Amino acid sequence: MTPEAEIRRRIRKRGHVTFAQFMELALFWPQGGYYLTRDPVGADGDYYTSPLVHPAFGALIAVQLCQMWFLLDRPEVFTAVELGAGAGRLARDVRDYSRHLPAEFAQALRYLCVDRWAGPGLDSGLPRGEEVLEGRITAAGVPLRGVRGCILSNELLDAFPVHQVTVHQGSLQEVLVALEGDTLVTTLGEPSTPRLAERLRQVGVALGEGQTAEINLELETWTQEVSAALDAGFVLTIDYGHLSPELYSPERRRRGTLVTYHRHAQTDAPLRNIGRQDITAQVDFTTLDRAGRRAGLEPLGFAVQRQFLNRLGLDQFQRRLAALDLPRREFEANHAALVELVRPGGLGDFKVLAQGKNVGQPNLWGFAPGGPGEALLGGLPVPLLTPQHLRLLEGRYPQVDGEVALETLWGGDDAAEVGDES
Ligand SMILES: C[S@@+](CC[C@H](N)C(=O)[O-])C[C@H]1O[C@@H](n2cnc3c(N)ncnc32)[C@H](O)[C@@H]1O
């Protein structure tokens, strides 16, 4: 039974499903759900993420993990658990680059990939060497306890099912999916749970008449699970989103942030291509922070990706690239990819939240002026594109028309600095 058939079956039985139930089935229904049947990232998929753009992303995360290992008093085993690891591209780049970091750290690092997707199997179609099969767990939650290290994710939370609400004639209504004859349509109804209004109250948001907003009710449970898994260490969450006042601004996001991606085009039609397109919404970092504090996770840093990567040393990689004497095409490809990772209006505006449990209030390099410092960075090699990374300038990705099309992949997010939002 396809996701669409299951959605129709449930609507016929109950009259409607909430948008969150629709999204859960479209993305994660075991028989044909979008995320359980494919690797959506890359030329043959629907969009790109930072790990595919340039190995510097993973290299700099490895540098940050190395400091975290140091802050935990250099344990013999430092566990990095990546949730929503997809095909394992970030895992590969972190592991590769950790070889250049202190040998004790490289030996201590255990990197586990967790994803709801069972992962690239023998007929996954992924190019050989692209998949990381070692240390992979298929699970929806955080199936671990006693972690000393870091639980990290890149673009995980934007894939969680969201409820959609709107204000109609002064009262909060929920967006439902129903059938009109044989056609799937959206309609409005009473909120399926009081938690929707409660969430808006908690983050101090009053939606305007006619404004649509997405609410991810799984953030709290996810945060509790993450905290329960961690004995001592860090949580590093990278995703697109905002603090609540910005995310729910009636002026800037009157129509919410829900978008769909299909073959590198933003289509914005969730009821179409069910199970064959991505459906995603921006993350509410205020709720994540609040949930963290309640679950024993102290906030340690919040920055845009541009600032986070530059503080860890990306701008230094960029400067040193020119001195490497690479063939011109290689230089240009690497230069363009490094720019892409921090480009305002694109990946550079993603948010990075660091939280800690039982680690005090250390200054993490990615959030503190000065970063790792010249003594460490100066001795590290500049990571370079491999055949497993995106080649922005080589037309290997025919659906993408260079810079302009890439703009659309991340929904034209605003370029606000974190400081503007707090
Ligand atoms: C947008 S993709 C990002 C993949 C990868 N992190 C990257 O940056 O390329 C989201 C991934 O999260 C996974 N996912 C979604 N919900 C999950 C959950 N509750 N637990 C574990 N993985 C989940 C999906 O299967 C998918 O692989």
Side-chain angles (χ1 to χ4, degrees):
M1 169 133 16
T2 64
E4 179 162 354
E6 177 62 14
I7 289 163
R8 287 172 178 271
R9 190 188 70 77
R10 291 196 193 188
I11 294 174
R12 283 197 190 97
K13 199 166 156 203
R14 298 175 206 161
H16 63 255
V17 291
T18 64
F19 190 83
Q21 288 164 336
F22 167 84
M23 191 166 158
E24 168 71 30
L25 292 166
L27 297 184
F28 299 108
W29 177 244
Q31 296 147 35
Y34 178 76
Y35 273 117
L36 300 192
T37 45
R38 75 202 68 220
D39 177 13
V41 182
D44 300 327
D46 297 310
Y47 56 87
Y48 304 107
T49 56
S50 296
L52 190 67
V53 170
H54 197 278
F57 184 75
L60 294 170
I61 300 260
V63 170
Q64 181 58 88
L65 292 176
C66 182
Q67 185 206 14
M68 291 169 172
W69 165 76
F70 198 84
L71 290 166
L72 285 174
D73 288 333
R74 300 189 279 180
E76 268 177 38
V77 176
F78 177 92
T79 307
V81 184
E82 187 190 345
L83 302 177
R89 295 183 176 90
L90 177 59
R92 178 200 54 209
D93 289 345
V94 169
R95 282 171 173 159
D96 281 357
Y97 203 75
S98 67
R99 288 202 297 268
H100 304 292
L101 295 166
E104 269 180 286
F105 166 68
Q107 278 155 18
L109 180 65
R110 299 280 177 282
Y111 199 108
L112 295 174
C113 294
V114 180
D115 203 288
R116 280 181 86 159
W117 179 40
L122 288 178
D123 356 317
S124 70
L126 279 178
R128 191 181 286 270
E130 183 123 333
E131 71 274 26
V132 175
L133 297 172
E134 188 199 343
R136 189 176 177 97
I137 302 169
T138 305
V142 194
L144 297 156
R145 285 294 176 271
V147 173
R148 274 178 79 77
C150 180
I151 299 182
L152 67 153
S153 63
N154 182 59
E155 293 208 45
L156 163 70
L157 299 177
D158 66 73
F160 280 18
V162 288
H163 292 258
Q164 254 193 334
V165 294
T166 187
V167 175
H168 182 63
Q169 295 180 347
S171 75
L172 191 71
Q173 299 273 289
E174 180 162 5
V175 175
L176 307 169
V177 180
L179 277 168
E180 213 171 72
D182 207 31
T183 309
L184 286 170
V185 294
T186 54
T187 175
L188 296 182
E190 286 302 304
S192 58
T193 161
R195 289 179 62 208
L196 295 170
E198 200 178 297
R199 166 69 70 74
L200 292 172
R201 260 197 311 278
Q202 281 167 350
V203 295
V205 164
L207 299 178
E209 179 70 28
Q211 184 182 353
T212 300
E214 288 76 34
I215 298 180
N216 179 342
L217 287 181
E218 293 185 21
L219 289 182
E220 284 92 345
T221 316
W222 179 81
T223 304
Q224 281 158 13
E225 280 187 42
V226 166
S227 181
L230 201 59
D231 255 9
F234 303 86
V235 182
L236 194 63
T237 306
I238 307 175
D239 220 314
Y240 48 85
H242 301 275
L243 297 173
S244 298
E246 177 68 24
L247 182 66
Y248 296 120
S249 157
E251 293 81 32
R252 301 189 63 171
R253 291 181 224 292
R254 193 174 158 71
R255 295 173 54 199
T257 65
L258 191 102
V259 290
T260 55
Y261 290 110
H262 187 55
R263 299 197 59 73
H264 301 279
Q266 189 178 314
T267 44
D268 294 346
L271 303 190
R272 287 215 309 259
N273 290 318
I274 296 170
R276 296 188 303 280
Q277 69 177 1
D278 189 24
I279 310 174
T280 173
Q282 301 207 15
V283 175
D284 173 7
F285 279 91
T286 301
T287 294
L288 213 50
D289 174 39
R290 283 173 54 90
R293 289 170 203 256
R294 277 200 303 279
L297 300 174
E298 289 301 319
L300 300 179
F302 183 53
V304 289
Q305 177 163 311
R306 177 170 63 256
Q307 205 175 43
F308 176 74
L309 294 182
N310 279 333
R311 284 191 162 153
L312 284 168
L314 186 132
D315 48 2
Q316 212 190 104
F317 284 161
Q318 190 66 286
R319 281 197 297 278
R320 284 168 45 205
L321 188 67
L324 290 183
D325 209 16
L326 295 171
R328 187 161 162 217
R329 274 165 69 105
E330 268 316 287
F331 167 75
E332 284 173 354
N334 279 279
H335 174 73
L338 290 174
V339 168
E340 188 59 31
L341 281 180
V342 291
R343 188 169 57 78
L347 293 171
D349 288 345
F350 275 38
K351 306 297 186 298
V352 186
L353 174 67
Q355 296 159 301
K357 183 171 177 185
N358 299 328
V359 291
Q361 282 287 327
N363 285 328
L364 294 177
W365 287 337
F367 303 89
E374 185 54 33
L376 177 67
L377 274 182
L380 293 176
V382 178
L384 296 174
L385 287 168
T386 75
Q388 274 78 45
H389 294 94
L390 179 70
R391 290 274 162 164
L392 283 170
L393 305 178
E394 285 186 13
R396 250 179 71 189
Y397 299 85
Q399 316 85 309
V400 177
D401 178 19
E403 193 88 336
V404 176
L406 279 169
E407 288 263 358
T408 67
L409 298 180
W410 295 286
D413 199 359
D414 63 84
E417 289 289 337
V418 171
D420 296 344
E421 299 197 329
S422 50

